[in-house]
């Protein structure tokens, strides 16, 4: 084990790019890129998962390692490669800022591997993976109150003693009427839209069931804001 650590540490202090060291850099980038891709796979949430993006994380890591090996010690080669890469246009939009962070992780890991800073590449991957799993398992940054939008139609206007406000008080911390729109000609229904702060998301079905029991209430729709933002 000491020999392996000594070899990895010695790789960061040499500028000699032999076929063996270049091959080791690419293989290490491939392994670490897979580690990053698996971390992304296990910690991903929402509906924006893409198999091609996961595969791209591995390819980006290896390609950057190859680029670093190519431009090593050559300013002319680096400038020429920058000019060649400037021709490429990327048209895919990345909706999730978390995906951008993973791309930067792949770039840095590839740079460390390609420049033969093996210890930095390995330790950086381990630390980044640990941080990502910590954020995933602790659900860090989640806003506990469940904001949502409630819509339904009613055959009459809601008065002070109507049962709908009392039901909302039971299940919501607070609620605000956004709009109450009368139907078209010949349609007596009134379309209501509320912004609600749910007390407990696990009781959403119970709240909807209580609202359905109210006479005249129909077309009930509840949209949770946090779930909407993950699409």
């Amino acid at each position: 084990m000491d020999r392996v650590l000594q070899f990895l540490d010695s790789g960061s202090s040499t500028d000699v790019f032999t076929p063996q060291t270049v091959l080791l850099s690419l293989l290490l980038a491939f392994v670490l890129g897979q580690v990053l891709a698996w971390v992304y796979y296990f910690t991903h949430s929402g509906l924006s998962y893409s198999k091609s993006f996961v595969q791209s994380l591995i390819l980006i890591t290896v390609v950057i390692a190859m680029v670093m090996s190519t431009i090593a010690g050559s300013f002319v080669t680096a400038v020429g490669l920058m000019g060649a890469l400037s021709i490429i246009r990327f048209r895919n939009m990345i909706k999730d800022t978390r995906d951008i962070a993973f791309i930067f992780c792949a770039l840095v890991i590839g740079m460390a591997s390609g420049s033969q800073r093996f210890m930095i590449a390995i330790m950086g991957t381990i630390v980044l993976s640990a941080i990502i799993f910590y954020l995933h398992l602790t659900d860090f940054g989640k806003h506990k109150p469940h904001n949502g939008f409630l819509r339904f139609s009613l055959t009459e206007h809601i008065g002070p003693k109507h049962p709908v406000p009392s039901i909302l008080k039971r299940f919501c911390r607070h609620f605000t009427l956004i709009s109450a729109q009368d139907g078209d000609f010949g349609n007596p229904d009134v379309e209501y839209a509320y912004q609600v702060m749910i007390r407990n998301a696990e009781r959403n079905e119970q709240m909807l069931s209580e609202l359905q029991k109210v006479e005249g209430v129909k077309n009930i729709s509840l949209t949770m804001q946090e779930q909407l933002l993950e699409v």
Side-chain angles (χ1 to χ4, degrees), residues 28-89:
L28 182 62
F30 174 71
V31 172
L32 297 181
Q34 284 219 37
V35 172
L36 185 66
W38 278 111
V39 170
Y40 178 87
Y41 175 82
F42 284 116
T43 61
H44 182 271
S45 60
L47 303 177
S48 59
Y49 177 81
S50 172
K51 182 182 73 173
S52 61
F53 179 79
V54 177
Q55 295 178 353
S56 297
L57 290 176
I58 303 174
L59 294 175
I60 288 173
T61 309
V62 178
V63 169
I64 294 300
M66 186 182 300
V67 169
M68 295 300 296
S69 300
T70 302
I71 66 177
S74 177
F75 177 76
V76 177
T77 305
V79 174
L81 188 59
M82 288 178 58
L85 293 176
S86 64
I87 302 175
I88 303 175
R89 294 291 184 269

Side-chain angles (χ1 to χ4, degrees), residues 9 13 23 42 52 62 69 91 100 136 140 142 146 158-159 181 191 197 206 211 226:
D9 190 48
S13 60
L23 180 60
F42 284 116
S52 61
V62 178
S69 300
R91 300 182 181 273
I100 299 178
H136 175 70
F140 184 83
K142 183 178 181 180
H146 299 273
I158 295 179
Q181 184 177 0
E191 298 289 340
M197 186 75 74
Q206 183 180 354
L211 289 173
E226 291 186 355

Side-chain angles (χ1 to χ4, degrees), residues 44-227:
H44 182 271
S45 60
L47 303 177
S48 59
Y49 177 81
S50 172
K51 182 182 73 173
S52 61
F53 179 79
V54 177
Q55 295 178 353
S56 297
L57 290 176
I58 303 174
L59 294 175
I60 288 173
T61 309
V62 178
V63 169
I64 294 300
M66 186 182 300
V67 169
M68 295 300 296
S69 300
T70 302
I71 66 177
S74 177
F75 177 76
V76 177
T77 305
V79 174
L81 188 59
M82 288 178 58
L85 293 176
S86 64
I87 302 175
I88 303 175
R89 294 291 184 269
F90 299 97
R91 300 182 181 273
N92 290 341
M93 290 183 60
I94 300 177
K95 299 179 181 179
D96 195 346
T97 53
R98 185 173 180 272
D99 292 349
I100 299 178
F102 269 90
I103 292 178
F104 275 109
C105 290
L107 292 174
V108 174
I109 293 172
M111 292 173 64
S113 301
S115 58
Q116 298 186 14
R117 289 168 172 81
F118 303 137
M119 184 61 69
I120 296 177
I122 295 174
M123 295 302 296
T125 303
I126 294 174
V127 172
L128 286 172
S129 300
I131 293 174
I132 294 169
F133 273 114
Y134 161 76
L135 296 176
H136 175 70
L137 295 176
T138 60
D139 209 4
F140 184 83
K142 183 178 181 180
H143 190 49
K144 292 299 182 182
H146 299 273
N147 293 327
F149 295 96
L150 176 66
R151 295 181 177 87
F152 59 87
S153 58
L154 188 61
T155 54
E156 59 181 350
H157 288 278
I158 295 179
K161 297 183 179 181
H162 199 276
V164 169
S166 61
I167 294 175
L168 295 180
K169 288 179 182 179
R170 287 168 49 198
F171 295 93
C172 305
R173 294 184 180 179
H174 60 82
F175 55 92
T176 304
L177 178 62
I178 299 176
S179 65
Q181 184 177 0
D182 292 330
D184 299 332
F185 295 102
N187 184 7
D189 293 342
V190 182
E191 298 289 340
Y192 284 94
Y194 282 88
Q195 184 177 14
V196 296
M197 186 75 74
I198 303 295
R199 294 181 185 273
N200 186 357
E202 296 179 357
R203 301 181 62 191
N204 284 348
E205 293 183 1
Q206 183 180 354
M207 181 182 67
L208 296 179
S209 177
E210 293 290 336
L211 289 173
Q212 288 176 350
K213 295 178 182 179
V214 178
E215 184 178 358
V217 174
K218 54 186 177 180
N219 301 327
I220 302 176
S221 174
L222 176 63
T223 303
M224 300 305 296
Q225 187 176 6
E226 291 186 355
Q227 298 299 326

